[in-house]
Amino acid sequence: MPPPPESEYSSARVRREFIEHFTRKDHREVPSGPVFPQDDPTLLFTNAGMNQFKDVFLGTGTRDYVRAVDTQKCIRASGKHNDLEDVGRDSYHHTFFEMLGNWSFGDYFKEEAIVWAWELLTGVWKLPKDRLWVTVFGGDAEDGTGPDEEAERIWRERTDIDPAHVLRCDKADNFWEMGATGPCGPCSEIHIDRGGPGSDPADGADPAIGVNAGNERFIELWNLVFMEFKRQEDGKLVELAVKSIDTGMGFERILAVLQGQNSNYDTDLFAPIFARITELTGERYGGGDEETDVAFRVCADHVRAVSVAVADGALPSNEGRGYVLRRLIRRASRFGRQRLGVEEPFLHALVPTVAEILGEAFPELRQRVEHVQLIVKSEEESFRKTLDRGLGLFEKVAERVAGEHSDVIPGESAFELYATYGFPRDLVELMARERGMSVDEQGWDAAEAAHRAVSKSEGMFKQALSADELTGLQPTISTYHEADERNHELETEVLLLAEGGDTEDGRRSVRIVLRESPFYAESGGQVGDTGVIEAADGSLTLPVTDTQRMGGIVIHTADLGGAGPDALAALGPGARVRARVDTDRRDRTRRHHTATHLLHKALRVVLGDHVAQQGSYVGPDRLRFDFSQPKGVTQAELERVEAIVSERVFANAPVVTTIEDLDEARARGVVAMFGEKYDQRVRVLDVGGWSIELCGGTHVGAAGDIGPFVILSERAISAGVRRIEAVTGRAAVDEIQRQRRILRAAAQGLKTAPDELPARIDQLQKQLKAARKEQRASAGADLAASFQKVKAGLADRGGTLTGVLDCPELDAKTLREMGERLKSLSPDLAVAVFGRDGDRVPFLIVCQGAAQAKGLRAGALAKGIAGLLGGGGGGRPDLAQGQGTKPEAIPAALECVERELALALDG
């Protein structure tokens, strides 16, 4: 298939025209949130445009605008929205996609949403009106809701759509809900008839039955959600006082329509990637081979998803979202190897093309191309080794099944190839068929169900409060940045008291929401504050063990201890309480947080501007800083980093925080973290004009307050990402003293002064080296003597030098070293030597020349002997070894080998 024809509707133009259509109508253009939400514990990945506004819909957060428009990066790689194995098999499934959307937060409602959508589709983009269909909610008896006659009337009266093209549909298709509880409402979907069989009215077909029928002729373009209800815990709907609009349009889908393509993959979003794959593989998309086309689509789709996720700061791993990314890379790598004939890593070479296509909309992609390539290439190389191991495992499973006189591979074993090595079901079944076997389908299904249950529990993020508990709560007024004592202690009112379940040590806990709070909630790597909340009358004091944030709501987890229901009444909604932060713990945390900023800057000074934060932990005990770095950090570089941070601490520059406009801050070079979502008004932390970063955490007043700074460790945690752990203040003093004690103990043990330790260690190493050299020489002499003994025990048998010898003085190491020497004795050789290694029996077998010609195989003999000796063994036909655990079986083993030699050589 040739590249798609040039279209006046390029992807850049369509994306920009959507945004401009709504900015002209006073919508704020907001940047896409990261593809993995850092402030929503219910999601692995951002899967819809509304995710970044979820707190607004729940009433727990606010914005300084009431109208918004954006294009949001989304990933759907599992769950009800997408089955990964479908991606690439058709023309419209994707793991990564863009969602175009416009929103109203208590401002305009149905009429504007409908009219403006129609204007864009038919006025700006000139879509044929006679091919557009819309659906509205038809009502639901169980919920007691009638049809959405208001939306239906607006479509019929305020647009010029064919009234016959306005259809009522049921709750399953036209009622949108955020979750089991919370904001929800009817929706109106806009579909297009792309034509095809039955599209001519003269043939008598009814196009209306195609809408929402799951076919490729009628596709949904745009969903307009009218958020006007809230579903309560009891399942009933209540009308919201403030109504909102949430719309979503799949960018890849509307682009295919505007560019006149039947497949999303035939647009200019994918054509350059396909061209690059052709350059790398020599294969061609659309050349008539469907499996090749599937491989192209899989590789292009998956490299887009992985690129945007890694650019936002995600990393492949064995859990959570990292496991999803690893699966995507492995699935695409396997298709490249299996269908496109690519043995070497190649996906990383597609990343620059992805960045070129998407970089204008998402500039972080262009900024992090080299980092993304490094991560992807490392994963590809690792998977090549894993793939080979998987093939080896399959061979072992198949051999075991055959040895059991069966032709059915157990489902659990087969599924392990999928779960661990990325082998899809159809590949495992194909490999089985090639050996005249089949796969136990029921066993596979059972293993898959168990795996999903575990994965679901491991990947399930816990939400501190339910949507019903959150809805209607006023955002917490946080005071931890105040200049007076209110930053750590104040009197306020309880808004919510909810059960929190049992803690890890079996104690009961509660969750408390206050009108105002001096507690810092966990965010940006900094741990949440701890402290106490006590009743104003002093009747009850509860220790706060953790502080979290959901949107604008700060949630305090408190340990109940022995407090009973009556005592808790003192902390019910409306009660006056005093909230007090553990200031000593916070001070230690603040030192580590400001030190993290200095560390980041020092790393950029020493290693280069490519260094970017990949994650962090800031607590009272230590700091941990993960950063992008393609190669190791030398000891000299690490010491220079530590020295630079210390110099900045000694300079004692003031730490100043200002509130600035996000765009203006970025324009003047303020450092922002990749993958972080910022409000338009941001806090800028400035340490003496040297380190300037966006940060909302708590910090010291001057750099000197940090105190001593000591790096504990530096290591790689994945390809291209390294980790530093460090301590400050009292913890740094403790670490210095600990190291001094170790140094003193080592010096005493070696009977030298601490400053002479390096010379003493060097001297000992030289002595050890000399001793080892002498030992090797002695061992060589022993080996030579042992070899002569074995040689003397061999005899000629019809032209073949043979021997079956029991040599208790030979250990496993000596036998291994003797193998090649024995092979040099004669071109025709059949020898077995048994030794001792403690209570184990090592053995060595050599078969070559005439011995092999007469059917003797060292590897086969080793396997048989291993069974007699209660151990394992094997190897090549010419040289094999093994080890047993039954010395008492040595006579039987000697007899067995002698018998095999006699049968082969004397028969």
Side-chain angles (χ1 to χ4, degrees):
M1 176 181 291
E6 290 294 328
S7 168
E8 59 177 323
Y9 288 107
S10 68
S11 55
R13 171 184 169 179
V14 173
R15 190 187 289 115
R16 177 46 46 193
E17 285 184 345
F18 181 89
I19 300 291
E20 290 178 348
H21 179 70
F22 288 100
T23 55
R24 285 194 294 266
K25 300 182 187 301
D26 300 322
H27 287 60
R28 171 80 63 83
E29 179 182 357
V30 297
S32 169
V35 81
F36 57 96
Q38 298 186 345
D39 56 356
D40 187 344
T42 66
L43 291 172
L44 275 178
F45 291 101
T46 298
N47 60 16
M50 59 76 59
N51 289 162
Q52 67 167 306
F53 303 115
K54 186 175 177 180
D55 61 319
V56 180
F57 291 126
L58 289 171
T60 63
T62 59
R63 301 290 188 277
D64 63 353
Y65 47 85
V66 293
R67 299 180 180 185
V69 60
D70 82 343
T71 177
Q72 171 65 51
K73 298 174 290 188
C74 299
I75 287 180
R76 293 178 183 173
S78 60
K80 67 178 183 178
H81 294 297
N82 210 357
D83 185 339
L84 181 57
E85 294 303 322
D86 287 338
V87 176
R89 298 290 178 187
D90 54 37
S91 65
Y92 53 88
H93 271 99
H94 303 286
T95 53
F96 168 77
F97 62 97
E98 292 180 56
M99 184 68 81
L100 305 172
N102 60 288
W103 290 269
S104 164
F105 311 121
D107 185 35
Y108 64 83
F109 202 44
K110 295 181 183 180
E111 181 165 337
E112 292 87 346
I114 290 172
V115 171
W116 292 344
W118 189 252
E119 284 180 5
L120 178 62
L121 294 176
T122 64
V124 177
W125 288 338
K126 309 298 183 184
L127 292 182
K129 299 174 184 178
D130 61 342
R131 289 195 174 274
L132 294 175
W133 295 70
V134 299
T135 60
V136 297
F137 179 51
D140 185 78
E142 184 179 352
D143 282 337
T145 53
D148 190 356
E149 295 177 347
E150 179 185 6
E152 187 176 53
R153 176 184 55 78
I154 294 169
W155 277 113
R156 294 177 185 276
E157 297 179 2
R158 297 285 286 114
T159 75
D160 55 353
I161 190 172
D162 182 346
H165 286 201
V166 180
L167 311 175
R168 290 185 179 183
C169 292
D170 61 17
K171 178 180 175 180
D173 290 315
N174 279 78
F175 195 89
W176 185 90
E177 303 196 55
M178 184 181 297
T181 61
C184 55
C187 59
S188 183
E189 297 177 341
I190 305 172
H191 300 250
I192 189 167
D193 178 359
R194 297 196 295 179
S199 60
D200 186 351
D203 65 13
D206 181 5
I209 65 173
V211 176
N212 278 336
N215 60 70
E216 294 191 33
R217 173 182 161 187
F218 290 87
I219 62 169
E220 175 195 334
L221 293 180
W222 206 343
N223 189 15
L224 316 178
V225 178
F226 311 128
M227 209 89 72
E228 56 182 317
F229 296 111
K230 170 193 168 185
R231 190 173 294 280
Q232 301 182 122
E233 293 281 358
D234 61 7
K236 293 182 180 179
L237 296 176
V238 295
E239 192 168 343
L240 291 172
V242 178
K243 298 177 173 62
S244 299
I245 290 291
D246 163 24
T247 85
M249 177 193 290
F251 179 51
E252 290 78 7
R253 186 170 290 185
I254 187 63
L255 189 64
V257 170
L258 292 172
Q259 292 187 357
Q261 302 295 334
N262 289 325
S263 167
N264 296 353
Y265 289 95
D266 292 338
T267 66
D268 65 351
L269 289 175
F270 290 92
I273 305 176
F274 288 170
R276 182 67 175 132
I277 294 174
T278 295
E279 291 178 5
L280 295 169
T281 68
E283 298 291 336
R284 191 165 62 90
Y285 183 71
D289 183 70
E290 178 58 23
E291 288 304 313
T292 297
D293 290 352
V294 169
F296 267 76
R297 292 193 289 265
V298 167
C299 293
D301 172 90
H302 291 6
V303 77
R304 280 169 29 109
V306 171
S307 294
V308 296
V310 173
D312 273 350
L315 292 172
S317 68
N318 286 328
E319 58 185 14
R321 60 176 62 98
Y323 179 60
V324 174
L325 297 183
R326 179 158 285 167
R327 284 185 64 201
L328 292 178
I329 294 172
R330 291 184 170 188
R331 183 170 187 256
S333 296
R334 182 183 57 75
F335 269 91
R337 180 169 177 166
Q338 182 182 353
R339 301 299 184 189
L340 302 179
V342 186
E343 294 292 333
E344 297 301 316
F346 76 103
L347 292 173
H348 68 282
L350 304 178
V351 173
T353 306
V354 174
E356 184 61 31
I357 297 168
L358 300 177
E360 182 178 346
F362 311 115
E364 62 276 6
L365 262 173
R366 287 179 176 168
Q367 297 169 22
R368 308 206 74 192
V369 166
E370 291 183 4
H371 172 69
V372 176
Q373 283 189 284
L374 182 66
I375 298 297
V376 174
K377 185 176 182 180
S378 174
E379 281 294 308
E380 289 185 274
E381 291 172 338
S382 174
F383 180 55
R384 287 180 62 212
K385 300 174 185 176
T386 301
L387 192 62
D388 291 337
R389 288 197 298 269
L391 292 170
L393 176 62
F394 178 82
E395 292 297 336
K396 289 182 179 179
V397 171
E399 286 180 10
R400 186 182 74 241
V401 170
E404 295 170 352
H405 305 290
S406 173
D407 60 359
V408 179
I409 294 178
E412 183 176 0
S413 299
F415 181 75
E416 179 67 17
L417 289 167
Y418 168 76
T420 303
Y421 301 101
F423 286 36
R425 188 168 186 163
D426 59 351
L427 177 60
V428 179
E429 291 173 342
L430 175 62
M431 293 164 63
R433 285 197 301 271
E434 289 174 347
R435 288 158 180 77
M437 297 178 174
S438 62
V439 173
D440 172 17
E441 294 187 5
Q442 291 185 342
W444 177 293
D445 293 340
E448 184 174 27
H451 177 78
R452 284 181 173 175
V454 172
S455 299
K456 183 177 181 182
S457 64
E458 290 177 348
M460 185 78 70
F461 294 105
K462 295 182 180 179
Q463 182 162 304
L465 292 175
S466 70
D468 198 47
E469 289 171 322
L470 284 168
T471 303
L473 278 179
Q474 296 179 14
T476 307
I477 300 171
S478 293
T479 63
Y480 53 82
H481 282 308
E482 299 289 340
D484 56 19
E485 70 171 11
R486 285 171 54 83
N487 66 25
H488 65 273
E489 183 174 358
L490 55 77
E491 185 173 315
T492 185
E493 175 188 355
V494 175
L495 298 183
L496 175 72
L497 178 70
E499 291 187 11
D502 294 337
T503 60
E504 291 183 359
D505 58 2
R507 299 166 67 88
R508 292 187 304 143
S509 67
V510 290
R511 297 157 297 161
I512 303 172
V513 176
L514 306 175
R515 184 174 300 282
E516 302 165 291
S517 175
F519 287 78
Y520 179 83
E522 180 178 333
S523 180
Q526 180 177 333
V527 299
D529 278 335
T530 62
V532 297
I533 294 176
E534 57 187 11
D537 61 5
S539 61
L540 180 64
T541 300
L542 297 181
V544 175
T545 58
D546 189 25
T547 309
Q548 298 289 327
R549 178 184 295 276
M550 292 196 67
I553 305 297
V554 174
I555 304 161
H556 312 78
T557 300
D559 189 344
L560 273 178
D566 294 339
L568 277 180
L571 294 181
R576 300 296 298 177
V577 296
R578 177 157 289 276
R580 185 167 63 252
V581 174
D582 180 341
T583 54
D584 178 69
R585 181 178 181 275
R586 177 189 278 181
D587 287 345
R588 285 182 281 132
T589 303
R590 291 193 305 168
R591 292 188 189 99
H592 285 134
H593 201 159
T594 307
T596 300
H597 285 244
L598 298 182
L599 173 62
H600 188 188
K601 176 65 176 181
L603 285 167
R604 291 169 68 89
V605 169
V606 174
L607 303 179
D609 289 338
H610 64 275
V611 169
Q613 182 174 341
Q614 286 293 125
S616 67
Y617 164 84
V618 177
D621 54 333
R622 71 190 191 287
L623 70 86
R624 184 184 70 227
F625 188 75
D626 299 341
F627 59 100
S628 54
Q629 166 68 3
K631 59 183 181 179
V633 181
T634 67
Q635 184 61 34
E637 289 170 332
L638 204 61
E639 290 177 1
R640 187 180 170 205
V641 167
E642 189 176 57
I644 289 174
V645 173
S646 296
E647 288 169 5
R648 290 295 162 177
V649 172
F650 301 152
N652 197 28
V655 177
V656 179
T657 300
T658 56
I659 309 298
E660 302 182 23
D661 178 80
L662 175 61
D663 296 331
E664 293 176 0
R666 280 179 165 157
R668 72 182 184 91
V670 176
V671 176
M673 181 178 171
F674 288 106
E676 189 72 58
K677 178 66 178 175
Y678 297 101
D679 294 332
Q680 195 58 36
R681 301 292 292 173
V682 292
R683 299 183 70 87
V684 177
L685 187 85
D686 186 333
V687 185
W690 185 72
S691 168
I692 309 176
E693 296 188 25
L694 300 180
C695 186
T698 60
H699 291 271
V700 298
D705 297 340
I706 294 172
F709 172 82
V710 175
I711 292 177
L712 299 177
S713 63
E714 188 279 332
R715 63 187 177 89
I717 59 170
S718 68
V721 181
R722 305 192 70 83
R723 170 173 292 172
I724 283 179
E725 297 197 44
V727 287
T728 66
R730 284 177 293 178
V733 173
D734 292 343
E735 176 61 19
I736 292 170
Q737 292 178 340
R738 186 187 71 85
Q739 292 180 7
R740 188 181 296 159
R741 287 193 297 271
I742 294 172
L743 183 65
R744 187 181 301 116
Q748 290 174 349
L750 295 177
K751 295 180 174 56
T752 189
D755 59 353
E756 294 176 356
L757 262 178
R760 177 62 174 147
I761 292 173
D762 182 60
Q763 179 188 34
L764 290 173
Q765 286 178 329
K766 288 178 179 177
Q767 292 175 356
L768 180 62
K769 183 177 180 180
R772 285 175 174 169
K773 183 177 181 181
E774 184 178 344
Q775 183 184 38
R776 283 196 298 271
S778 175
D782 291 343
L783 176 61
S786 298
F787 177 73
Q788 290 302 321
K789 178 181 177 181
V790 171
K791 180 179 177 182
L794 303 182
D796 183 274
R797 180 180 284 179
T800 300
L801 197 60
T802 67
V804 181
L805 307 173
D806 183 21
C807 302
E809 71 276 11
L810 302 184
D811 60 14
K813 181 174 181 295
T814 305
L815 279 177
R816 284 195 300 270
E817 293 174 347
M818 190 180 290
E820 292 300 325
R821 288 197 180 194
L822 282 174
K823 292 182 67 176
S824 67
L825 290 175
S826 170
D828 304 306
L829 193 68
V831 177
V833 184
F834 295 80
R836 302 290 189 281
D837 206 333
D839 59 353
R840 297 181 178 275
V841 183
F843 59 86
L844 174 76
I845 301 177
V846 179
C847 294
Q848 62 186 21
Q852 280 196 35
K854 294 184 178 181
L856 290 174
R857 300 289 185 271
L861 285 172
K863 287 183 180 180
I865 294 170
L868 291 173
L869 294 174
R876 305 191 307 262
D878 64 322
L879 180 65
Q881 57 189 336
Q883 186 167 258
T885 60
K886 298 178 179 179
E888 67 274 13
I890 290 177
L894 294 169
E895 182 182 348
C896 175
V897 178
E898 183 59 47
R899 185 170 57 252
E900 292 294 328
L901 296 187
L903 287 173
L905 301 176
D906 300 339

